[in-house]
Amino acid sequence: MSLTLRWVPARQTPVMNPEQESSSAVDRATILVPQTGRLVATGESWEPYRLVDVDGVEVEAVSSYFRELQAAGRSAATARSYGMDLLRWFRFLWAIGLAWDRATRAEARDFARWLQVGGKPVRPHWRSRDRSDLDATAPPVRGNVYAASVRAHNETVLRGFYDFHLDIGTGPILNPFPLDRARRHRRAHAHQNPMEPQRNERSGLYRPGVPSRIPRSVPDAEFNEIFARLPSHRDRALVAFYVSTGARASELLSVTQGGVDPGRQLITVVRKGSGASQQLPASTDAFVWLRLYQLERDKVIPTGRREPLWWTLRSPARPLTYHAVHRMFERVNMRAGTAATLHSLRHTAAYRMAEDPALPLTDVQLVLGHAQLTTTQLYLTPRKEDVIRRVLAHHAEQTRRAAERVVPAPAPGYRPETLQVLFGGSN
């Protein structure tokens, strides 16, 4: 008896084309997405963050992706940044009732539209989250739309997330976030002039165009107004170090008490990207305010070379966090009537250093911790106020020179009053 085997192709789930969707369906770009699930900080070095759903169950697909990022040398800050983008995507999928591994280009397209027109939800203040009079079942309130930079970062993270699961065979057979159609069937950087800047030819299909950011420094008058309203020696020392070292907000908070060298005017910070320690020079005023802060908090905060340098002013003393410093600077701006941000202090330091002709641009690059010199060159962009002031001064100088210009005697046949109107000055 012979047995005949016949191959039957496996049934595959059809991929929905966005153009084939029913026009009667509710436009998913206009839905209000509930704030379900959250990104939890575990405090563990081997798993710093964990994404959980509305029932508190860990999303294993995201956890495996976080482990991949950690193995590739990504920092915990990167995991948190990627986790917020993934949380935004999973909330959208939970709102439409679809599993993450069943998502298609249709859902990716609607998600990109939702980020653009749906708007961010308005989150309640942390003081009112535990109030019993708040209705937990109330629908979310629509806020401002997401910025183009947030949408571009979200698209990049999700494309990498699905590429990872596609490679290990745990996700859909097609990435819901494909590359741009114009990129297909041709080599990247084909016919690229090596003297011109590199074009990003691996851009995603749903990635928005992000306008180039021009660093904005704080004018001197505005900075003096902000500094005069700082309430404590600690805050004055922080701002003085920010504006003299150009360190990032989180980098300055990484300084330990043993990383301060007043004799050489150096502080040691931990760089955000590489995690390497680097000494940065600071101004004399910054160390003066630091010493006043230390005398003010003597015998209140723990001492030791490995202890943090910055502590809270409220008892019990705790290490100062980025969010506390950010909120402090917001309150000072409200009192001063300014709109500067904490990161503007880094721009201000870079702009002041770049304006000094005796300081090479490569030194500025090293102090700022930029990997590329082209990034440092962005800080050479002049402020709008300075450009307006210099151009108006140019026009005033041209008017003064025209008034002092001596016009030679006109040739016979020309009327002197006509030449005076034409050229200005006196004949």
Side-chain angles (χ1 to χ4, degrees), residues 4-317:
T4 304
L5 298 179
R6 186 179 59 175
W7 177 78
V8 179
R11 179 179 300 177
Q12 297 183 358
T13 303
V15 179
M16 181 182 296
N17 192 331
E19 286 75 10
Q20 296 176 352
E21 295 179 80
S22 174
S23 59
S24 61
V26 178
D27 193 348
R28 291 180 293 195
T30 62
I31 64 174
L32 291 175
V33 177
Q35 299 298 287
T36 55
R38 59 195 180 105
L39 187 67
V40 181
T42 62
E44 302 170 349
S45 59
W46 59 87
E47 190 183 17
Y49 291 96
R50 182 184 302 143
L51 184 65
V52 298
D53 58 13
V54 64
D55 298 324
V57 179
E58 178 182 1
V59 180
E60 180 57 31
V62 176
S63 299
S64 61
Y65 183 57
F66 283 168
R67 289 191 288 268
E68 181 76 6
L69 293 176
Q70 189 179 49
R74 304 298 188 269
S75 64
T78 301
R80 182 186 182 277
S81 176
Y82 286 21
M84 297 304 296
D85 293 333
L86 289 168
L87 177 61
R88 200 173 293 119
W89 166 247
F90 272 82
R91 282 174 173 172
F92 179 80
L93 293 178
W94 292 333
I96 63 177
L98 188 69
W100 72 273
D101 54 351
R102 309 291 292 180
T104 64
R105 264 184 53 187
E107 286 73 36
R109 183 204 61 184
D110 291 339
F111 176 70
R113 295 175 58 238
W114 175 77
L115 290 177
Q116 184 176 359
V117 301
K120 296 186 295 186
V122 178
R123 298 176 178 85
H125 193 271
W126 64 271
R127 289 193 180 93
S128 61
R129 290 178 182 174
D130 297 332
R131 287 171 48 185
S132 59
D133 58 340
L134 294 178
D135 187 5
T137 61
V141 182
R142 198 183 305 277
N144 299 326
V145 297
Y146 288 95
S149 58
V150 177
R151 292 184 276 121
H153 190 269
N154 220 135
E155 191 274 340
T156 302
V157 171
L158 293 178
R159 180 153 43 88
F161 170 75
Y162 278 100
D163 279 342
F164 163 71
H165 284 285
L166 180 63
D167 292 339
I168 65 176
T170 56
I173 59 176
L174 293 177
N175 194 328
F177 296 88
L179 293 173
D180 191 359
R181 293 189 183 95
R183 163 65 178 81
R184 295 180 180 178
H185 305 300
R186 60 189 186 91
R187 181 170 54 87
H189 306 298
H191 310 289
Q192 169 71 29
N193 188 348
M195 301 301 295
E196 296 179 354
Q198 292 287 339
R199 301 188 301 266
N200 183 14
E201 294 188 349
R202 298 187 182 276
S203 178
L205 177 61
Y206 301 123
R207 180 182 178 87
V210 181
S212 58
R213 293 184 177 182
I214 300 178
R216 180 185 182 276
S217 58
V218 182
D220 294 341
E222 183 176 335
F223 175 79
N224 294 335
E225 182 69 21
I226 294 175
F227 196 85
R229 295 179 180 271
L230 293 172
S232 65
H233 293 324
R234 183 207 63 182
D235 299 339
R236 299 184 188 98
L238 277 169
V239 173
F241 274 111
Y242 278 131
V243 82
S244 62
T245 63
R248 298 177 179 88
S250 59
E251 293 175 347
L252 186 60
L253 297 179
S254 68
V255 180
T256 60
Q257 297 178 17
V260 179
D261 190 353
R264 296 190 298 164
Q265 293 184 217
L266 297 175
I267 61 171
T268 303
V269 302
V270 178
R271 282 304 185 185
K272 177 183 177 182
S274 62
S277 298
Q278 181 179 351
Q279 290 182 329
L280 298 179
S283 64
T284 306
D285 295 342
F287 286 97
V288 172
W289 291 115
L290 175 62
R291 185 53 183 163
L292 293 174
Y293 157 64
Q294 290 176 331
L295 292 176
E296 186 181 56
R297 303 295 290 171
D298 189 24
K299 299 180 180 179
V300 178
I301 60 177
T303 57
R305 293 187 56 84
R306 297 181 180 273
E307 293 291 339
L309 179 63
W310 310 104
W311 295 78
T312 60
L313 299 179
R314 294 181 179 180
S315 298

